[in-house]
Amino acid sequence: MSNTNDQLITELRTVLSSQQYSPVVIGNYCAYARGFVEYLAQQSIDVVEVTETQVVQYLHHAVALFRKRHGRSPGPYWHSIPRSGIHALLRLAQGQWPSPPKAACVADALRFAICDEYETWLREERGLATASIDALMWEGRNFLAWQIDRHGPDSLMTMSVSDIDSYMDTRSPHQTRRSVKDVAERLRSMLRYLHRTGRVAIDLSPHVIAPLLYAYEGVPSILTPDQVAAVLQASGEDKTSAGLRDHAILQLLATYGLRSGEICNLRIEDMDWRAESIRIRHTKTRASSFLPLMAPVGEAVLAYLQVGRPATDAREIFVRTRAPYRKLGLLASMVRRRLTAAGVTPAGKNGSHIFRHARAVEMLRAAVPQKVIGDLLGHRSTESTAPYLKLATEDLRAIALDVPGQEVRS
């Protein structure tokens, strides 16, 4: 192996050590990364030019070598170790992995240009949150690839309503009515942008047909106060690093009804211990709220910071329990795991939002004004809070009147 590749492996070892990977993991990652660069050398491929396809080809090669050496196939999760080591190597060598796609033809160049401009417009002109932009961009990329691959780069100007209907037909199977409506709304956004920038002759967005959803259709899942207490009690008994972290997160969910992203983005400087307040950056509105730091929440977060949180330069409060110690992504799997451990089985969905629903209903039943509830939940208007009203069904039953009926005579 060349001196350049030897140096690259040495740098990889240093980076992994700085990210506090265990010595065993570092050894495994570097061993597989070394095997990968040796394979590249045999193929006369420079590591900075590697593509995802070549990584897949190498993994097939590595499986064949494993069979030859051990006389059997590797386990079902074996490939995750060499892949992780290779990806760490490529992030170091290329600066970003997966690397940005490169235009291989005129159609690719057109799609990439439109998507880059569209993303800039969504962020700078419309000021949308990152999560909203990601959803819109996925649909936009998917639609452009579908249309241009079928009819070529010149087909956008002559696109018709039948093309829109055909695309929606491909996206509708196995989707709920709510999901199909979301697809339609994201597609309308892309079509309006294409017309606005002169790439489509007419505005086709009004012709996107979506299911009609009735106001407050469907009742979301909700936890009862006893179920919330059971989950908090069960998580509070887990004194491991993961248990301390999860208990603090569940306290935030139960007390404030925060969104998943608002908890994942919570930073150390957002906790003002002297003023006993907490700053929340609302993911949808991009506004900030300052809420009183309730004692159970403060105690749970402090216990995690003092005992459970690994040493890391990350400013986010809640981080992974294994290296690399970066901020958490989604909370859904953690919430499901803690619900199961507490023996709580919601009737419907069981993600982090059920705590949000439960907090809203609790305040509604305590006669808290709807505007105050909306402010706590980070809603822009009372219309966003209104759907939670349908969850307080027990209150409606409590004031139901007996309807007199015709007396039955014997």
Side-chain angles (χ1 to χ4, degrees), residues 21 84 86-98 326:
Y21 281 85
S84 297
I86 292 168
H87 286 183
L89 174 76
L90 293 173
R91 282 193 294 272
L92 179 63
Q94 299 188 7
Q96 179 182 350
W97 185 264
R326 54 175 178 261

Side-chain angles (χ1 to χ4, degrees), residues 339-361:
L339 288 172
T340 301
V344 174
T345 306
K349 295 181 179 179
N350 54 5
S352 59
H353 244 56
I354 58 176
F355 286 91
R356 185 173 175 84
H357 298 155
R359 187 69 181 109
V361 171

Side-chain angles (χ1 to χ4, degrees), residues 284-295:
K284 285 194 173 182
T285 62
R286 303 177 74 177
S288 294
S289 296
F290 291 86
L291 304 175
L293 180 58
M294 307 304 290

Side-chain angles (χ1 to χ4, degrees), residues 90-352:
L90 293 173
R91 282 193 294 272
L92 179 63
Q94 299 188 7
Q96 179 182 350
W97 185 264
S99 57
K102 298 179 181 179
C105 58
V106 174
D108 287 347
L110 176 63
R111 286 193 296 109
F112 296 162
I114 293 175
C115 288
D116 288 344
E117 295 170 12
Y118 182 48
E119 184 172 8
T120 301
W121 179 71
L122 292 173
R123 179 172 292 105
E124 297 182 1
E125 297 293 330
R126 295 192 59 191
L128 298 182
T130 301
S132 299
I133 293 174
D134 291 343
L136 289 164
M137 288 303 303
W138 189 95
E139 200 67 55
R141 292 190 186 98
N142 192 64
F143 171 72
L144 288 175
W146 179 86
Q147 177 64 23
I148 293 175
D149 288 348
R150 288 170 69 245
H151 299 299
D154 297 329
S155 65
L156 293 180
M157 186 59 71
T158 58
M159 197 161 47
S160 65
V161 175
S162 62
D163 293 318
I164 304 303
D165 291 341
S166 297
Y167 177 76
M168 288 300 297
D169 288 341
T170 67
R171 295 285 284 119
S172 298
H174 312 298
Q175 298 263 28
T176 64
R177 293 169 64 246
R178 173 75 261 180
S179 296
V180 174
K181 186 174 179 62
D182 290 342
V183 170
E185 290 174 351
R186 294 192 290 264
L187 178 59
R188 290 189 188 112
S189 176
M190 170 55 82
L191 292 173
R192 283 193 293 267
Y193 179 77
L194 290 174
H195 177 62
R196 181 176 180 272
T197 54
R199 291 187 172 95
V200 174
I202 60 174
D203 184 6
L204 293 170
S205 61
H207 300 283
V208 180
I209 300 175
L212 177 63
L213 298 184
Y214 298 99
Y216 314 146
E217 177 181 347
V219 178
S221 302
I222 186 173
L223 295 175
T224 65
D226 289 343
Q227 289 175 321
V228 172
V231 175
L232 292 176
Q233 180 179 353
S235 63
E237 294 171 354
D238 185 351
K239 300 304 181 182
T240 64
S241 297
L244 293 171
R245 181 199 66 189
D246 295 352
H247 181 64
I249 291 173
L250 291 169
Q251 285 284 5
L252 285 163
L253 287 170
T255 303
Y256 304 112
L258 301 180
R259 300 181 179 95
S260 174
E262 291 164 352
I263 292 179
C264 292
N265 293 327
L266 195 62
R267 298 170 66 88
I268 293 175
E269 56 266 28
D270 293 331
M271 307 291 294
D272 191 335
W273 301 101
R274 292 184 180 276
E276 296 185 347
S277 69
I278 178 173
R279 179 173 64 178
I280 305 300
R281 297 180 178 88
H282 298 292
T283 51
K284 285 194 173 182
T285 62
R286 303 177 74 177
S288 294
S289 296
F290 291 86
L291 304 175
L293 180 58
M294 307 304 290
V297 174
E299 292 169 3
V301 172
L302 189 60
Y304 169 64
L305 291 175
Q306 291 178 334
V307 181
R309 189 175 186 268
T312 173
D313 293 333
R315 298 303 298 171
E316 288 80 14
I317 292 177
F318 300 108
V319 297
R320 290 159 42 101
T321 56
R322 293 188 299 176
Y325 298 121
R326 54 175 178 261
K327 77 169 186 175
L328 291 178
L330 300 176
L331 303 180
S333 60
M334 181 277 289
V335 170
R336 285 194 293 269
R337 187 171 63 252
R338 293 297 172 178
L339 288 172
T340 301
V344 174
T345 306
K349 295 181 179 179
N350 54 5
S352 59

